[in-house]
Amino acid sequence: MVVDTVKENLCVNKLVATKKEVILVEGDMIVPDSKPDILNTICTSGCVCIYKKETSEEKVRIDGNINAYIMYLADDSENKIRGINTNIDFSESIQMPNCEIGMNCKLDTKLKSIESKIINGRKIGIKATLELNIKIYSKEDVEIINSIQNAEGIQMLNEELKVNSLVGMGENRIYAKDTISIDNVDNLAEILKSNICICDKDIKVSYNKILTKAEAEAKIMYLTEDNRINNITAKIPVVGFIDIPNVTEENICDVQYEIKNIVIKPNSAEEHSIYIEIEIGVTAVVYEVKQINLIQDLYSPCENLEFNKKKITTITDKKCNKELKQIREKVTLEGIENKKIIDVDVVPIIENENKLNSRIIYEGKVELRFVLSNGDLEIDTKNAEIPFEYTIENLENGESMSTNMEIEVANQDFIVQDGGIVTSNIDMLMNMDSYRDTNLNIMDEIQTNGEREAEDYSIILYIVKKGDTLWKIAKRFGSTVEDIVRTNGIEDENKIDIGQKLYIPKYVKKVNKKPNPPVVTYA
């Protein structure tokens, strides 16, 4: 007979597969007829756009492109600096065990390197290395038995747990558009270099909606018609709503931004401006802190109970931590005397993560890629590295935490001093999401299967052995923890000693006979 139970729902966002993949993207570019031949490339930059992710049986397909800019020295009588732009498309199918159609794919893409090589004066070969961090999630609704109706005589071992249950997820597509003004004295000839990143991220919860707020920071280097190089930095608001029912302010929300497409187009020289349009995909995953009463074990002194258990993995103790890390260091660059810094790419890289009991230590480096000029449009590039260490303190069981660290460059400033020394002032926003995996043993349907074998009432003398608990002893002999505690005068039911002698009152159902006097049995 099925036992009447009370159940509650737990929604699990289960991580089913994870993989780090390095892929090579290659393509050729033909120099447009309007541009002069290439004598030499100076620097190559790019921004990765992911416009499609698709999960299927045992694999995930990723489609995107790299928006690349190449600054080069023209092969003409004046040897002018020029720039060209192209999109390199790529499509990658990656094997992912346990992946199925319709699962959610979280993708973190980093452009590890990009370089260009002259094939001939009108053709350039471009080679880029991408690092893909892929995580596949499956949504699973689980029913948990947390109590039994009419549970007279049934003994239950309960555990109160706090877990993070999935409230819902949603996505939106935002188009960030703006016309950026440049100096009125600058008649823009062409764009030499660009970099787009999403920064200043924030969220607000209101009326079953997630309000996502951020800024798209655009750094553009351009050439004027009178052969001057200039830079402009602008921030474009990225604001959108994601509808997710039952969201409250107490919930924890993970938001991911993904650049899908970029359009950068100079307006006419008379307008002194640049049009920028960025297509951004925004995904939100919302969790609630849920306290559940989990039945770990049960039995009846009078009846045989049957049930099965299944193990599920969910998460708990989910947190978001943000902190500013400042770097104030000096680097030496040979041969930069009398040169001006035009632009610096700042790329933080985490190389090692050490998890200890009470802290996590990140070791990494900041790659600095300088573009320099001597004032006569002679362009040079230099690279440098600054090592750094970042520590998160006062953790509980840090080694058991799963973490994801994202670094956002909030501010940067560089000053050239005598002797080729560059003072670097860099502010990095360290964004760490953390949680713990926890395994739950969930009971399936509970049934009774007849009465236990009837015996006379007796008291058993038992000597505690290694690994014993009062629950295990009571279940073994058909007694109850409460009766053992009362009979033996135990003050703390969670503390018994090996070798301790316990009297175990054993309860069984009487069948049409008078009870015999108590009998002491040794076990």
Side-chain angles (χ1 to χ4, degrees):
M1 183 177 67
V2 177
V3 176
D4 290 334
T5 58
V6 178
K7 299 179 181 180
E8 65 178 311
N9 185 68
L10 177 66
C11 191
V12 177
N13 194 28
K14 183 180 179 183
L15 179 64
V16 298
T18 180
K19 194 172 190 178
K20 180 181 287 187
E21 191 87 358
V22 176
I23 65 172
L24 187 65
V25 178
E26 296 180 284
D28 294 337
M29 178 185 182
I30 304 299
V31 179
D33 294 338
S34 59
K35 304 278 187 179
D37 286 358
I38 296 175
L39 179 63
N40 189 27
T41 59
I42 297 171
C43 69
T44 306
S45 61
C47 183
V48 182
C49 301
I50 303 294
Y51 49 78
K52 187 178 181 182
K53 297 176 296 186
E54 186 176 52
T55 56
S56 58
E57 297 295 332
E58 301 291 320
K59 64 182 179 181
V60 59
R61 175 174 169 172
I62 299 167
D63 295 309
N65 65 52
I66 300 175
N67 189 310
Y69 280 87
I70 301 171
M71 190 189 310
Y72 71 95
L73 190 64
D75 188 9
D76 57 16
S77 58
E78 298 179 354
N79 290 342
K80 292 181 179 179
I81 302 296
R82 302 301 298 268
I84 49 178
N85 167 240
T86 188
N87 284 325
I88 309 168
D89 293 321
F90 64 89
S91 180
E92 200 74 21
S93 186
I94 299 171
Q95 294 297 316
M96 295 292 294
N98 304 318
C99 184
E100 297 178 5
I101 296 173
M103 287 186 174
N104 182 38
C105 174
K106 183 177 180 180
L107 178 66
D108 179 27
T109 307
K110 290 184 174 64
L111 180 62
K112 298 288 287 183
S113 65
I114 183 169
E115 58 184 21
S116 57
K117 182 179 180 181
I118 299 173
I119 299 174
N120 57 55
R122 306 300 298 174
K123 190 176 182 180
I124 301 174
I126 301 173
K127 183 183 293 185
T129 303
L130 301 184
E131 181 182 275
L132 309 177
N133 287 292
I134 309 166
K135 292 182 179 180
I136 305 297
Y137 292 89
S138 173
K139 179 182 175 182
E140 181 181 359
D141 288 308
V142 180
E143 283 191 329
I144 296 175
I145 298 175
N146 59 13
S147 64
I148 297 175
Q149 293 181 339
N150 302 320
E152 185 177 355
I154 296 179
Q155 305 299 303
M156 290 178 287
L157 181 63
N158 297 325
E159 184 179 6
E160 294 285 340
L161 296 173
K162 285 185 178 181
V163 297
N164 295 111
S165 180
L166 182 67
V167 176
M169 58 181 67
E171 58 185 5
N172 192 11
R173 191 163 293 197
I174 301 172
Y175 292 86
K177 307 175 185 180
D178 201 0
T179 298
I180 301 172
S181 298
I182 61 175
D183 291 343
N184 288 331
V185 297
D186 290 348
N187 291 323
L188 193 149
E190 57 192 29
I191 294 173
L192 301 177
K193 187 173 181 284
S194 78
N195 183 53
I196 306 291
C197 66
I198 308 299
C199 60
D200 300 329
K201 303 169 188 174
D202 192 17
I203 61 168
K204 287 190 176 179
V205 179
S206 176
Y207 303 109
N208 294 328
K209 294 179 183 290
I210 302 292
L211 170 62
T212 60
K213 300 193 298 181
E215 290 182 316
E217 184 180 74
K219 295 172 60 179
I220 298 175
M221 180 189 297
Y222 60 90
L223 180 71
T224 65
E225 291 183 352
D226 56 352
N227 291 320
R228 290 180 295 109
I229 294 178
N230 210 340
N231 288 281
I232 188 169
T233 299
K235 289 188 175 181
I236 306 171
V238 180
V239 181
F241 285 96
I242 299 176
D243 293 322
I244 301 178
N246 304 317
V247 169
T248 68
E249 294 181 2
E250 290 76 26
N251 295 152
I252 302 169
C253 187
D254 286 341
V255 176
Q256 184 184 23
Y257 294 82
E258 202 167 62
I259 297 176
K260 295 186 172 294
N261 193 33
I262 299 172
V263 175
I264 302 176
K265 185 174 65 176
N267 292 320
S268 63
E270 295 78 16
E271 295 183 57
H272 304 285
S273 63
I274 302 169
Y275 175 75
I276 300 179
E277 181 177 322
I278 309 166
E279 182 184 352
I280 303 165
V282 187
T283 305
V285 182
V286 182
Y287 299 88
E288 66 175 329
V289 179
K290 195 167 189 176
Q291 185 158 333
I292 60 173
N293 176 36
L294 189 64
I295 300 176
Q296 297 289 319
D297 196 9
L298 56 81
Y299 70 93
S300 171
C302 303
E303 295 181 288
N304 291 314
L305 299 181
E306 293 181 351
F307 56 86
N308 293 318
K309 282 188 175 183
K310 65 177 180 178
K311 181 181 289 187
I312 66 167
T313 301
T314 185
I315 64 174
T316 185
D317 199 21
K318 183 169 177 59
K319 295 177 182 176
C320 300
N321 183 71
K322 291 187 178 183
E323 192 173 58
L324 193 66
K325 167 70 175 177
Q326 294 183 322
I327 294 179
R328 303 292 184 261
E329 296 288 343
K330 293 181 179 181
V331 296
T332 301
L333 302 177
E334 295 182 0
I336 68 165
E337 291 79 3
N338 302 318
K339 291 185 178 180
K340 177 184 176 183
I341 296 177
I342 299 177
D343 187 42
V344 186
D345 288 333
V346 179
V347 184
I349 298 172
I350 292 176
E351 298 180 300
N352 195 25
E353 180 187 49
N354 294 318
K355 295 180 180 179
L356 306 174
N357 184 46
S358 61
R359 58 182 176 163
I360 300 177
I361 302 173
Y362 290 96
E363 297 172 339
K365 63 182 179 181
V366 179
E367 291 186 349
L368 305 176
R369 303 164 189 171
F370 293 86
V371 180
L372 307 153
S373 172
N374 65 357
D376 296 326
L377 278 187
E378 290 186 11
I379 303 298
D380 191 13
T381 59
K382 298 285 185 180
N383 296 329
E385 292 181 358
I386 299 176
F388 73 88
E389 186 176 284
Y390 174 69
T391 303
I392 300 176
E393 303 276 5
N394 302 319
L395 299 174
E396 184 178 348
N397 299 322
E399 57 270 87
S400 68
M401 295 176 65
S402 297
T403 59
N404 179 48
M405 175 65 78
E406 292 184 356
I407 304 178
E408 176 186 320
V409 179
N411 187 49
Q412 62 186 65
D413 182 48
F414 301 91
I415 302 172
V416 179
Q417 299 177 333
D418 294 338
I421 297 175
V422 178
T423 300
S424 305
N425 301 312
I426 304 168
D427 294 337
M428 302 189 304
L429 190 61
M430 314 296 287
N431 302 307
M432 188 187 79
D433 291 332
S434 64
Y435 63 89
R436 303 179 199 276
D437 287 316
T438 182
N439 293 319
L440 305 180
N441 291 312
I442 306 299
M443 287 189 177
D444 279 342
E445 187 177 80
I446 304 170
Q447 294 185 345
T448 59
N449 185 18
E451 298 178 350
R452 295 180 67 147
E453 184 178 350
E455 292 182 14
D456 289 337
Y457 177 87
S458 62
I459 295 178
I460 296 173
L461 179 61
Y462 180 75
I463 300 176
V464 177
K465 299 178 178 60
K466 183 179 180 180
D468 279 342
T469 64
L470 285 187
W471 174 266
K472 290 180 180 178
I473 296 170
K475 183 179 180 181
R476 174 182 174 185
F477 294 110
S479 184
T480 68
V481 172
E482 180 183 357
D483 287 343
I484 297 175
V485 167
R486 184 178 62 252
T487 301
N488 294 273
I490 297 174
E491 294 183 359
D492 185 353
E493 66 180 55
N494 296 312
K495 185 178 180 181
I496 54 175
D497 300 319
I498 296 174
Q500 183 177 350
K501 295 180 180 180
L502 297 177
Y503 290 101
I504 314 298
K506 187 175 182 182
Y507 291 88
V508 294
K509 189 176 180 180
K510 307 301 183 297
V511 182
N512 296 327
K513 62 180 179 179
K514 295 181 180 180
N516 294 325
V519 178
V520 177
T521 305
Y522 296 89

